[in-house]
Amino acid sequence: MTSKLPKKAGGLPSVQSTIKHLLQSHRTRENIKNLLRVNQTDGFDCPGCAWGDNQHGTFQFCENGAKAIAWESTDKLVDAEFFKTHSVSQLLKQSDYWLEYQGRLAEPMRYNAKNDRYQSISWQDAFKLIGDKLNSLTDPNQLELYTSGRASNEAAYLYQLFGRLFGTNNFPDCSNMCHEASGVALTQSVGIGKGTVVLDDFDHANAIFVFGQNPGTNHPRMMNALRKASKQGCNIVTFNNLKEVALKKFASPQDPTELLTPAATQISHLYLSPKLGGDMAAIRGMVKTLVESYPSKINQTFVQQHTKGLDDYLAIVNTTSWQQIEQQSGLTQNEIAQAAKVFIESDKVISCWAMGLTQHAHSVDTIREVVNLHLLTGQIGKKGAGICPVRGHSNVQGNRTMGINEKPTAAFLQALEQTLKVQLPYAAGHNVYHALNALQQKQSKVLICLGGNLAQAASDSQFTHQAIKNAQLNVQISTKLNRSHLLVSEDALILPCLGRTEKDQQQSGLQKITVEDTFSMVHASQGMTEPVSPHCMSETAIVAHIAHATCPDKFNWLELKDDYSKIRQLIAQTIVGFEQFNQKIEQPAGFHLTNSAAELRWNTASKLANFNAAKLPDSILADCYSNMQQTIGDAKNITFVLQSMRSHDQYNTTIYALNDRYRGISGERNVLFINKDDAKQLNLAEGEHVDISSVCDQGISREIKAFKLVYYDIPRGNLAAYYPETNPLLAIDSVGRASFTPTSKSIPVTIKATTLQALNIKQV
């Protein structure tokens, strides 16, 4: 199987894949027009990743963006007729890929427990049902308001305002499961939970460090920035547990030579593969190299003027042994020194990261260690230098800016209260972890999901699925059918919403929405194709109608639904940085939100950037795995650390096809990537099937069966497999310290050969 690995990423196969997905949508002509409008001024924002837009060039989309557009803009429909032939129990037996492949949700539907089917319901009756149920609750905190990153700023702002006027701060959202650790760590260190660079900084950097990220699959447009930087002489250093082809060689589909010949651009000039969870140790080793071998490179002026806590931090660095660094990172002192030399000798350095850093128990400390290195060298607050958490979904950062936060600041709530003349709750609400526990214990009664697929996004599938089923009312605002719609017991609603590509016509005319990318650029988005069904409603309108049905006396919700510019006026009055919001979005490419840390202003208690004097963890595992701390990484005890990840034909929980071209996988997803020597030590051959069992103190059996072994370039003691197939292995209590992010990149497991009987049953 390893022979199927491509020699480069991008290129002609990327174009061919794009064409294939456009044809499969059965709306080829419309989607070709959509691709010419995506990420363009006066166009719409890609429903995929949050990477920033380059304003130069006709084509501003990538292969995965094209998949997302084709997946959303299809002529296949799921309506009441569909459910006449498919019961919920039958649909639960189908794969996630099959469910979403059935097409766009086309009308509002209500679950009928008597015949186990969804049936048509009018919008008016659906909203009345929600309002009546919410007003019957004995405590507003019995409501959970989940949000995915695809919601616009306008929908998110209304959603949080509705929830708070109803009386709750329960706002679990998708960032709780991905970059929450980044927000916590950066707020503690530099006073703002966002990255400090913009897209243009990548053109000016001398070195770019990529930690725990696979942009070729998850943020393909980022590859253009890395390719351009490399061709300009920038040194790119990658720390990634797996050897990903896109981070080795990338061919731009827009370069004729690289498109049609074997030519490609080298991306990484140094590629290091640490053990899972070993990035903090590797970065600590870089700092130790700086302190021991290049002390003159410490930017004393910057440190003295802008930071606090250096002495305590250096004391920790000095007491950290190279033996511990090498053992935990899986890298040698010489390898770490090579990376450190690139960082230290570069005038302008950007460090970027994704979930390879954020989904561990010690993720907050790991990200703060990245910041420590930048503070020591003054690599922040200047052109071409800074820190860059690369966000996932297209407006996940904007949702948080709009107030989708279970722990809102007092300043934010006070601004809402003073402007709107209302009273709001101040007590902290629920994140995803606490929301699922409250649903599991039946303390929470109603779940409303503004997009997403919580059932498959969250960990511990058995626990999560039961928690969602416990809701007395499950409301899903969605474009496509997914497993979250099917986890019902008493009552449930499917409310079909418009996609990004579609016209949003309200009483005042065609509406624009806005989104914020990973670089804090805010810009308008306007769909131009006709809605797939006349019965679909915009997310903003759905939220406004729910609010009107629940608390009509609190606000004139329907007036805001009729004209989104009025929502933006409220945002401008209540959120710093959005003054003259309606005027600013008329600018080409929108506008940039001020970043205090990029301007060397530190919104911390001390008004200085804080060093973090944390020791390396005794174990990379979450606390619920305490009994396993002595056996991890020791192949003799056949206990491995597993990471979950996406395939190339996947975005979040959406699976576009059963392939992973960049890893040589075709037509299947139940595969387990393993180091060849580890497999041989266990007398297992490539292509053989194994069962994977989680090792946990809770005494609960967690196992997934019949995964095909694939040899891969991965450190010994580590494994990798796809998400959400591996979610059943991860205990709900296995979360990051201070972030509550699931530790999906450090799951302790054992493996054993699948019995012939079990394999035969699976194949049948």
Side-chain angles (χ1 to χ4, degrees), residues 46-51 62-65 67 179 212-223 240 244 246-247 353-356 359 390-394 643-654 656 660 662-663 722-723 745:
C46 179
C49 78
W51 188 253
C62 65
E63 177 187 348
N64 275 14
K67 293 174 188 174
H179 267 289
Q213 183 187 4
N214 178 20
T217 286
N218 301 321
H219 309 91
R221 283 188 294 146
M222 182 179 176
M223 294 307 306
N240 194 308
E244 306 284 8
L247 285 169
W353 65 88
M355 286 183 282
Q359 291 186 324
V390 182
R391 307 287 178 173
H393 221 151
S394 61
Q643 68 162 313
S644 68
M645 61 187 186
R646 304 178 200 160
S647 74
H648 186 60
D649 271 341
Q650 176 179 358
Y651 193 75
N652 292 339
T653 59
T654 301
Y656 302 124
D660 191 354
Y662 289 167
R663 298 188 182 106
Y722 298 130
Y723 144 105
K745 299 295 187 288

Side-chain angles (χ1 to χ4, degrees), residues 189-200:
S189 293
V190 299
I192 184 170
K194 301 181 181 183
T196 65
V197 301
V198 296
L199 183 56
D200 182 62

Side-chain angles (χ1 to χ4, degrees), residues 202-208 222-237 246-250 258 264-270:
F202 283 78
D203 291 340
H204 298 272
N206 303 127
I208 299 171
M222 182 179 176
M223 294 307 306
N224 291 318
L226 295 178
R227 174 181 177 272
K228 183 179 179 181
S230 177
K231 292 178 81 70
Q232 291 176 167
C234 176
N235 287 311
I236 298 175
V237 178
L247 285 169
K248 292 190 282 187
K249 286 189 176 183
F250 176 73
E258 293 186 345
T265 300
Q266 179 182 347
I267 300 300
S268 298
H269 301 88
L270 178 62

Side-chain angles (χ1 to χ4, degrees), residues 221-393:
R221 283 188 294 146
M222 182 179 176
M223 294 307 306
N224 291 318
L226 295 178
R227 174 181 177 272
K228 183 179 179 181
S230 177
K231 292 178 81 70
Q232 291 176 167
C234 176
N235 287 311
I236 298 175
V237 178
T238 293
F239 288 77
N240 194 308
N241 184 250
L242 296 102
K243 287 291 176 66
E244 306 284 8
V245 64
L247 285 169
K248 292 190 282 187
K249 286 189 176 183
F250 176 73
S252 172
Q254 297 185 39
D255 183 309
T257 301
E258 293 186 345
L259 177 67
L260 300 172
T261 74
T265 300
Q266 179 182 347
I267 300 300
S268 298
H269 301 88
L270 178 62
Y271 200 126
L272 301 176
S273 297
K275 291 180 180 178
L276 288 169
D279 295 275
M280 182 179 177
I283 301 163
R284 176 64 55 83
M286 292 173 64
V287 173
K288 195 169 180 68
T289 301
L290 168 65
V291 171
E292 292 178 349
S293 303
Y294 304 89
S296 64
K297 293 291 186 177
I298 296 176
N299 192 327
Q300 297 290 352
T301 301
F302 183 93
V303 169
Q304 292 171 11
Q305 291 180 356
H306 294 287
T307 72
K308 179 183 178 182
L310 176 64
D311 290 343
D312 289 342
Y313 175 59
L314 291 183
I316 289 291
V317 172
N318 290 330
T319 57
T320 306
S321 70
W322 275 109
Q323 181 182 5
Q324 185 183 15
I325 290 170
E326 289 187 321
Q327 186 277 328
Q328 197 166 102
S329 70
L331 303 174
T332 66
Q333 182 176 348
N334 180 59
E335 288 174 318
I336 294 171
Q338 290 180 60
K341 191 172 187 291
V342 174
F343 194 105
I344 293 162
E345 293 184 348
S346 300
D347 294 330
K348 292 169 286 187
V349 185
I350 294 173
S351 289
C352 45
W353 65 88
M355 286 183 282
L357 258 60
T358 65
Q359 291 186 324
H360 296 280
H362 59 295
S363 287
V364 170
D365 283 337
T366 299
I367 295 163
R368 294 197 66 178
E369 192 71 9
V370 175
V371 179
N372 287 342
L373 181 55
H374 278 257
L375 295 179
L376 271 174
T377 52
Q379 294 288 0
I380 190 171
K382 62 182 182 180
K383 177 62 69 177
I387 47 183
C388 180
V390 182
R391 307 287 178 173
H393 221 151

Side-chain angles (χ1 to χ4, degrees), residues 24 29 68 80 84 87 89 98 129 147 199 203 271 322 479 520 552 581 612 677:
Q24 287 177 344
R29 179 178 297 178
K84 285 181 179 179
S87 71
S89 298
W98 187 93
L129 172 65
T147 320
L199 183 56
D203 291 340
Y271 200 126
W322 275 109
T479 57
S520 300
F581 192 3
N612 180 41
D677 292 334

Side-chain angles (χ1 to χ4, degrees), residues 400-656:
R400 185 56 56 90
T401 302
M402 291 297 107
I404 300 297
N405 190 343
E406 80 281 0
K407 295 179 181 178
T409 65
F412 175 77
L413 294 176
Q414 289 165 5
L416 291 176
E417 288 181 328
Q418 292 169 8
T419 302
L420 306 177
K421 309 304 180 187
V422 296
Q423 288 187 326
L424 303 175
Y426 278 68
H430 293 161
N431 57 23
V432 166
Y433 172 79
H434 293 117
L436 289 173
N437 274 281
L439 287 164
Q440 173 71 16
Q441 296 163 20
K442 299 187 178 181
Q443 295 170 351
S444 290
K445 312 295 184 183
V446 177
L447 172 66
I448 302 178
C449 292
L450 183 59
N453 183 4
L454 178 59
Q456 298 303 78
S459 60
D460 206 337
S461 299
Q462 182 176 351
F463 180 97
T464 293
H465 290 185
Q466 185 59 54
I468 295 174
K469 285 190 69 173
N470 285 349
Q472 294 175 2
L473 176 62
N474 176 357
V475 180
Q476 299 287 328
I477 304 168
S478 311
T479 57
K480 289 289 197 78
L481 182 66
N482 64 51
R483 198 160 302 277
S484 295
H485 303 92
L486 309 176
L487 300 175
V488 295
S489 54
E490 295 185 31
D491 216 341
L493 290 169
I494 294 175
L495 305 182
C497 64
L498 298 176
R500 286 270 179 87
T501 61
E502 293 169 328
K503 293 179 181 178
D504 185 353
Q505 189 76 37
Q506 301 298 336
Q507 185 172 313
S508 64
L510 195 61
Q511 303 296 308
K512 293 180 179 179
I513 60 167
T514 59
V515 297
E516 178 185 344
D517 66 26
T518 201
F519 300 115
S520 300
M521 290 294 299
V522 179
H523 52 273
S525 173
Q526 187 175 57
M528 299 301 291
T529 59
E530 293 297 326
V532 70
S533 165
H535 302 296
C536 289
M537 190 179 290
S538 76
E539 290 176 313
T540 306
I542 292 172
V543 172
H545 276 290
I546 291 174
H548 177 73
T550 306
C551 42
D553 57 327
K554 297 287 182 72
F555 216 79
N556 191 341
W557 303 101
L558 299 187
E559 180 185 25
L560 300 180
K561 181 269 296 183
D562 291 337
D563 185 353
Y564 297 177
S565 70
K566 294 181 179 180
I567 304 174
R568 290 190 286 272
Q569 289 174 5
L570 285 179
I571 295 171
Q573 294 170 1
T574 54
I575 300 181
V576 176
F578 286 85
E579 300 79 10
Q580 296 183 315
F581 192 3
N582 280 310
Q583 292 74 29
K584 286 180 178 178
I585 63 170
E586 296 303 321
Q587 303 169 180
F591 65 99
H592 182 248
L593 293 174
T594 299
N595 185 288
S596 53
E599 297 178 348
L600 303 183
R601 292 184 291 109
W602 317 105
N603 292 328
T604 62
S606 64
K607 301 302 178 184
L608 294 170
N610 296 312
F611 282 100
N612 180 41
K615 296 180 180 179
L616 294 184
D618 294 329
S619 168
I620 67 162
L621 299 180
D623 297 335
C624 66
Y625 298 125
S626 58
N627 288 344
M628 293 308 305
Q629 293 180 14
Q630 300 303 313
T631 59
I632 290 302
D634 183 352
K636 293 180 180 179
N637 292 308
I638 60 169
T639 302
F640 296 88
V641 181
L642 169 73
Q643 68 162 313
S644 68
M645 61 187 186
R646 304 178 200 160
S647 74
H648 186 60
D649 271 341
Q650 176 179 358
Y651 193 75
N652 292 339
T653 59
T654 301
I655 300 164
Y656 302 124

Side-chain angles (χ1 to χ4, degrees), residues 150-216:
R150 74 178 301 275
S152 67
N153 287 329
E154 291 75 11
Y157 185 84
L158 274 194
Y159 201 53
Q160 64 84 27
L161 185 58
F162 156 63
R164 293 190 164 107
L165 286 174
F166 183 69
T168 186
N169 282 317
N170 289 350
F171 289 104
D173 78 304
C174 60
S175 64
N176 298 151
M177 295 176 284
C178 53
H179 267 289
E180 192 68 39
S182 298
V184 172
L186 295 180
T187 299
Q188 292 174 352
S189 293
V190 299
I192 184 170
K194 301 181 181 183
T196 65
V197 301
V198 296
L199 183 56
D200 182 62
D201 284 312
F202 283 78
D203 291 340
H204 298 272
N206 303 127
I208 299 171
F209 280 69
V210 181
F211 293 100
Q213 183 187 4
N214 178 20

